[in-house]
Amino acid sequence: MIHKLNDYPELKAKFNEINVSHRRYFFGTIGVFVLLLLYFTSSFIQFDINSIVQKWNPYRASKFILDTYAHKDHITFRWSKPEEFRIAFEGGYREIYKIPPKWFSKNSMTGAGTVNFSNGGKMTIFRDRVEMTNWPNTNEPFVFKIGKFLEVDEYGKEKSVNKPYVFGYENRRNDLPPWIRWTENNIEVRPSLFERLQVSPSRAEIHRYEIGWKYFLFDFDSQLANKSLAETVAIALSAERIDPNKSNLSLIWTEFLDNEIWGHKRLFLAMRDTIIMALIGTLLASFIGLPLAFIAAKNITPFAMVRHMLRRLFDILRGVDVLIWSIIFLRAFGPGLFTGIFAIMFTDIGTFGKLMSEAIENADGKQQEGIKSTGATRFQQHRFGIIPQILPIFISQSLYYLEANTRSATIIGAMGAGGVGLEFLGALQTGNDFENVAYIALMVLVTVIIIDTLSSWLRRRLIGV
Amino acid sequence: MPAQKTPLALPYHLLVFEERLRQIERLRSIYTLLTIFSTLFIVWFGMNVASESNASSLSRGISKLFDYPFDMTEDAWNYGWGWWSIVFKYLPELISTFNIALFSTCLGSLLAIILSCLASANLINSTFVIQVIRRTMDFFRSFPEIVFAMIFLYLIGKNELPAILAITIHTTGALGKLFSEVIENIDVKPLDGLRSTGGSWVKRVRFAVLPQVLPSFFSYALLRLEINVRASTILGFVGAGGIGEALYTVIQWRHGAEVTAIMALLVTTIIFLDYCSTYLRIYLVESHR
């Protein structure tokens, strides 16, 4: 026998009901998706994301990313001073190599200087030209020459000027590979991100990139410069003193902190300031917020007026954002830690007050009654009847806000209060120290992770959650 | 001669018990004192460091703590009824800031839903995938928004996109963790039922997981929206458009009336959002009980 749905009216009705509800559900889902899609499209148009994506400059981004993990040496040669090759770390005036690095060789006969790149290629600077030889993926050597050209100036006078040109390509500029850009007075050669040559009427400059954070441990001028981590450990363990007045360990420590290229000491102090802002701000907020929360709780304070006023006060303290508090306190305290501490404290008194007063109201009244029956005073009732119940919530919320405030403190710092946020902003605004930007970002990341781990460990130890 | 009061003779095991209790109590009070003293020491130390590095001293700062808002309010008061026109002038900026927050919250929540499904142990069998996605979300969450925002501002230029990207990244990380915790705590019976009928992975997520978790997802996303409105104001302050940028400008120009107008707008919006999200979340929790 074949069962048909039509033979069972009850089942049929149930089936139809499910069908209808499913259809409603289905169209509801589709409706939500269509609304979301409409919103996304309109936002795309409103924020003009399409034009921003077109304006986006990938060269700038790749330069930024390259600079976060690589360093470069500048080799500068002036056509008017053919004896002098200036080789400087990151082009700094203070960081000029006295002994040329291994990858640089100077021919004593011709006076030409050769830069060897890690891809096997070579760039040689002569008195009147730069030669690019042995380059992978190109068949011919390129020669960038400097020559005299006649030019008519604005008074109608003829004079000869120096101009760079690519030898052999004078009449066929279009045949040059795309990584050679030849403009009126300059030639810019960038075969890959790791090599760069600029030839101008006055000089030739080569940038040679290498992966890694150089001079991270010790400064360029330091007597320990160029020592690797393993060598540093070996020095620390060896008995022979480098500086007779200091032990090796204290020498290494002071030299590390005095590193000016990376600014370890400055950044450590800034990090300490940020942590202090977050820690003291949270601690003060929780100490002030807890008594206020007791006053704002229904089962403690009988006066409705007081309670409502406190509740609104909490709302305002919380609603005035940490940004606005920091603007207000920046005027009172000036740039410094107090601004950050007070901004965090004021915002979090509101948050703690609200959370804790709710927790107090939700506390079990039986314990308090039990203590009351033994003839305890009101203070003792609260101390032994309520505090043990809300302590776990208090601790876990304090720790949670400590984590969140470490991030807030970084942000307030960037607004002007100081600390690591300001250092980050400063490093980014220099426009070329992106390895420092990466270093500070890494430092913030590690600190936030350490505080997160510590606070969750503390939470587990104290309240087992 | 009055009879000496003899102590109640307790059985030996109870005496041991009492002694042990007294020891525990002593230890506890020592711990409590230690905690109080170390906390006080931390506060004292931090305050010392702060007063060393601060431009102005604590007492002088406290005496003029609210000078700035009072000055600004006085400015606004002198404006009279014209102040309200300034408030309306900045309404479009406020809407722009709110829209940045809303857009990035929507985008971040969608990404977080996808990532959290891939990071939940009851939906994915491979520990490797789960670990990779969880660590990615940790990474997204750990940076303050301002770090990503400043980098994108440098790369893209001054407009809203850096703020959107930075807030979206942070939201994805923060919500992804909460979402995956919600998914891991669901009732597995619908999931098993769908598996027994041969439902594919997508269908299992769609019909067994989403109906259970969507209310909590929505309530977390609402909470996040409020946080993101604050964040997008702050990012405007460093150059990402919206009302934050307007605030920065008028603070530089010391236009008291305009500063108070913008602050009033911001505070009202945040308090309003706070109330709305509280009521909506209570409604959501109660209607799905």
Side-chain angles (χ1 to χ4, degrees):
Chain A
M1 188 190 160
I2 297 166
H3 295 275
K4 281 186 177 160
L5 199 57
N6 283 343
D7 301 339
Y8 302 91
E10 270 177 33
L11 215 57
K12 171 100 179 157
K14 187 80 190 161
F15 187 79
N16 279 338
E17 193 187 306
I18 290 172
N19 226 351
V20 166
S21 85
H22 174 253
R23 206 172 297 149
R24 200 179 295 147
Y25 200 79
F26 180 71
F27 284 117
T29 318
I30 289 210
V32 168
F33 266 98
V34 167
L35 275 179
L36 264 182
L37 208 69
L38 272 176
Y39 174 63
F40 277 9
T41 336
S42 66
S43 295
F44 251 80
I45 296 163
Q46 199 223 330
F47 295 130
D48 209 7
I49 287 175
N50 196 29
S51 80
I52 294 166
V53 170
Q54 279 169 3
K55 266 189 278 176
W56 150 264
N57 181 354
Y59 178 68
R60 204 174 183 189
S62 59
K63 227 185 90 189
F64 172 82
I65 293 167
L66 173 74
D67 208 28
T68 56
Y69 66 86
H71 63 271
K72 62 181 189 292
D73 293 303
H74 292 204
I75 302 97
T76 318
F77 180 79
R78 289 177 186 282
W79 305 119
S80 52
K81 282 186 194 166
E83 286 79 35
E84 189 191 331
F85 288 89
R86 206 174 71 108
I87 307 172
F89 174 69
E90 293 279 358
Y93 288 101
R94 208 170 61 84
E95 290 102 12
I96 298 170
Y97 292 100
K98 289 180 186 78
I99 307 155
K102 266 177 251 159
W103 41 261
F104 182 81
S105 58
K106 196 171 172 183
N107 189 330
S108 54
M109 297 290 288
T110 58
T114 306
V115 179
N116 294 299
F117 289 95
S118 48
N119 64 358
K122 280 179 185 168
M123 283 187 191
T124 313
I125 305 181
F126 293 91
R127 279 167 180 250
D128 59 341
R129 66 184 189 279
V130 182
E131 273 179 20
M132 205 175 133
T133 48
N134 203 14
W135 210 264
N137 302 327
T138 48
N139 303 324
E140 41 177 342
F142 287 97
V143 180
F144 309 99
K145 273 192 155 180
I146 194 87
K148 295 237 185 289
F149 288 83
L150 278 181
E151 207 174 59
V152 184
D153 65 8
E154 61 228 68
Y155 305 110
K157 251 197 206 160
E158 270 192 356
K159 61 171 186 181
S160 77
V161 285
N162 278 336
K163 271 186 186 177
Y165 62 97
V166 187
F167 183 71
Y169 282 87
E170 292 91 338
N171 300 318
R172 48 183 191 109
R173 284 192 181 200
N174 292 340
D175 293 348
L176 281 171
W179 41 266
I180 299 182
R181 275 191 17 236
W182 182 2
T183 54
E184 186 58 30
N185 281 320
N186 279 297
I187 298 175
E188 159 109 28
V189 186
R190 189 139 207 189
S192 80
L193 281 172
F194 286 83
E195 307 93 20
R196 185 183 187 190
L197 165 69
Q198 289 166 300
V199 187
S200 75
S202 61
R203 61 185 185 168
E205 183 161 313
I206 298 174
H207 294 175
R208 184 182 187 278
Y209 284 82
E210 245 176 90
I211 289 178
W213 286 354
K214 213 177 177 189
Y215 301 116
F216 179 73
L217 290 177
F218 307 110
D219 199 69
F220 189 87
D221 290 335
S222 162
Q223 45 192 334
L224 298 171
N226 289 319
K227 294 276 187 289
S228 71
L229 188 63
E231 284 170 331
T232 311
V233 172
I235 289 171
L237 296 177
S238 79
E240 242 176 274
R241 285 191 171 186
I242 294 176
D243 185 343
N245 301 325
K246 279 184 204 161
S247 76
N248 278 349
L249 204 62
S250 84
L251 177 75
I252 288 171
W253 181 237
T254 49
E255 288 292 321
F256 176 72
L257 285 183
D258 289 343
N259 185 345
E260 270 180 43
I261 298 176
W262 290 89
H264 295 297
K265 192 175 188 178
R266 206 182 63 238
L267 291 181
F268 286 163
L269 286 180
M271 200 71 239
R272 182 199 66 177
D273 286 357
T274 300
I275 295 172
I276 283 178
M277 271 195 264
L279 190 65
I280 306 292
T282 316
L283 277 177
L284 288 181
S286 50
F287 289 155
I288 299 171
L290 193 62
L292 286 182
F294 267 95
I295 302 174
K298 205 182 281 175
N299 48 353
I300 309 283
T301 309
F303 315 110
M305 245 315 256
V306 178
R307 276 190 341 243
H308 280 294
M309 271 169 65
L310 262 181
R311 284 285 162 95
R312 294 297 88 74
L313 178 71
F314 291 157
D315 285 345
I316 291 171
L317 284 177
R318 216 151 29 97
V320 179
D321 194 43
V322 81
L323 166 74
I324 296 176
W325 283 128
S326 66
I327 290 167
I328 290 172
F329 296 138
L330 206 54
R331 298 298 151 114
F333 294 110
L337 296 187
F338 282 131
T339 310
I341 291 175
F342 270 75
I344 289 176
M345 187 178 91
F346 269 67
T347 321
D348 276 5
I349 286 176
T351 327
F352 269 113
K354 184 180 183 240
L355 281 170
M356 293 322 296
S357 66
E358 278 164 9
I360 292 168
E361 281 175 7
N362 291 334
D364 193 357
K366 286 186 195 118
Q367 300 188 11
Q368 205 189 345
E369 259 170 49
I371 290 161
K372 196 178 176 183
S373 71
T374 62
T377 63
R378 275 187 79 84
F379 176 77
Q380 282 169 330
Q381 287 168 37
H382 300 157
R383 165 67 187 85
F384 296 102
I386 291 177
I387 288 193
Q389 288 190 62
I390 61 162
L391 205 59
I393 306 174
F394 178 70
I395 289 169
S396 84
Q397 287 299 331
S398 305
L399 288 174
Y400 173 72
Y401 276 98
L402 179 64
E403 290 173 35
N405 284 338
T406 318
R407 291 183 199 109
S408 298
T410 316
I411 294 173
I412 298 170
M415 313 272 79
V420 85
L422 204 62
E423 295 286 342
F424 181 78
L425 213 61
L428 203 66
Q429 276 163 355
T430 57
N432 48 27
D433 293 341
F434 297 125
E435 66 278 11
N436 289 24
V437 173
Y439 176 43
I440 298 174
L442 206 68
M443 214 159 142
V444 171
L445 184 73
V446 169
T447 313
V448 168
I449 289 176
I450 288 175
I451 288 186
D452 280 13
T453 321
L454 262 181
S455 81
S456 65
W457 175 80
L458 252 179
R459 202 159 26 213
R460 260 202 317 278
R461 278 302 297 274
L462 289 175
I463 53 180
V465 178
Chain B
M1 193 173 159
Q4 209 178 348
K5 211 175 184 185
T6 47
L8 219 63
L10 281 172
Y12 178 69
H13 67 277
L14 279 185
L15 274 176
V16 171
F17 190 78
E18 281 259 306
E19 187 52 36
R20 183 92 190 96
L21 194 70
R22 224 168 283 138
Q23 264 178 18
I24 288 174
E25 269 178 357
R26 217 174 296 139
L27 206 65
R28 248 186 72 162
S29 49
I30 287 172
Y31 275 149
T32 313
L33 276 179
L34 217 66
T35 315
I36 290 172
F37 276 118
S38 55
T39 324
L40 283 179
F41 175 73
I42 288 172
V43 173
W44 174 80
F45 173 74
M47 281 304 195
N48 261 357
V49 171
S51 59
E52 263 170 36
S53 71
N54 215 86
S56 168
S57 75
L58 181 64
S59 54
R60 250 179 59 205
I62 284 183
S63 66
K64 51 181 186 178
L65 201 55
F66 292 107
D67 279 8
Y68 182 63
F70 280 136
D71 286 353
M72 296 288 128
T73 322
E74 208 182 319
D75 251 19
W77 187 257
N78 294 337
Y79 242 76
W81 291 106
W83 186 76
W84 290 99
S85 70
I86 302 176
V87 171
F88 283 108
K89 194 175 94 189
Y90 284 108
L91 219 49
E93 308 269 347
L94 179 72
I95 292 171
S96 159
T97 292
F98 179 73
N99 206 10
I100 291 173
L102 185 65
F103 184 67
S104 4
T105 311
C106 286
L107 208 61
S109 312
L110 283 183
L111 288 175
I113 289 176
I114 297 167
L115 286 187
S116 63
C117 286
L118 297 174
S120 304
N122 50 356
L123 293 179
I124 297 285
N125 281 328
S126 146
T127 347
F128 177 72
V129 175
I130 291 176
Q131 284 304 320
V132 166
I133 299 221
R134 283 199 182 161
R135 293 295 87 79
T136 316
M137 292 194 301
D138 284 349
F139 179 76
F140 283 177
R141 198 176 55 242
S142 294
F143 279 115
E145 286 105 336
I146 205 161
V147 170
F148 281 124
M150 290 309 304
I151 290 172
F152 287 130
L153 263 172
Y154 175 75
L155 293 179
I156 304 174
K158 287 201 169 188
N159 52 51
E160 289 99 340
L161 195 62
I164 294 175
L165 287 176
I167 298 176
T168 306
I169 289 174
H170 195 86
T171 306
T172 309
L175 285 183
K177 179 178 181 253
L178 293 170
F179 285 4
S180 73
E181 275 166 12
V182 172
I183 291 178
E184 289 192 335
N185 288 328
I186 59 166
D187 184 7
V188 288
K189 280 177 206 141
L191 213 59
D192 290 342
L194 269 167
R195 191 179 285 142
S196 73
T197 61
S200 67
W201 189 82
V202 175
K203 287 212 164 131
R204 271 183 315 206
V205 170
R206 164 72 185 77
F207 291 105
V209 178
L210 280 189
Q212 288 190 61
V213 297
L214 269 183
S216 0
F217 279 14
F218 195 66
S219 104
Y220 279 133
L222 267 177
L223 207 63
R224 200 67 222 177
L225 177 67
E226 190 201 319
I227 297 170
N228 283 350
V229 171
R230 292 162 189 260
S232 83
T233 317
I234 288 178
L235 295 186
F237 213 75
V238 293
I243 203 162
E245 203 169 334
L247 182 61
Y248 183 74
T249 317
V250 297
I251 282 176
Q252 298 299 312
W253 286 103
R254 293 176 169 275
H255 289 167
E258 314 218 339
V259 173
T260 43
I262 295 177
M263 283 186 177
L265 268 178
L266 270 176
V267 173
T268 332
T269 315
I270 291 172
I271 291 180
F272 174 72
L273 270 177
D274 185 21
Y275 277 107
C276 279
S277 77
T278 310
Y279 280 111
L280 258 175
R281 274 181 295 126
I282 289 171
Y283 167 77
L284 274 174
V285 169
E286 279 174 1
S287 66
H288 281 272
R289 210 159 243 176

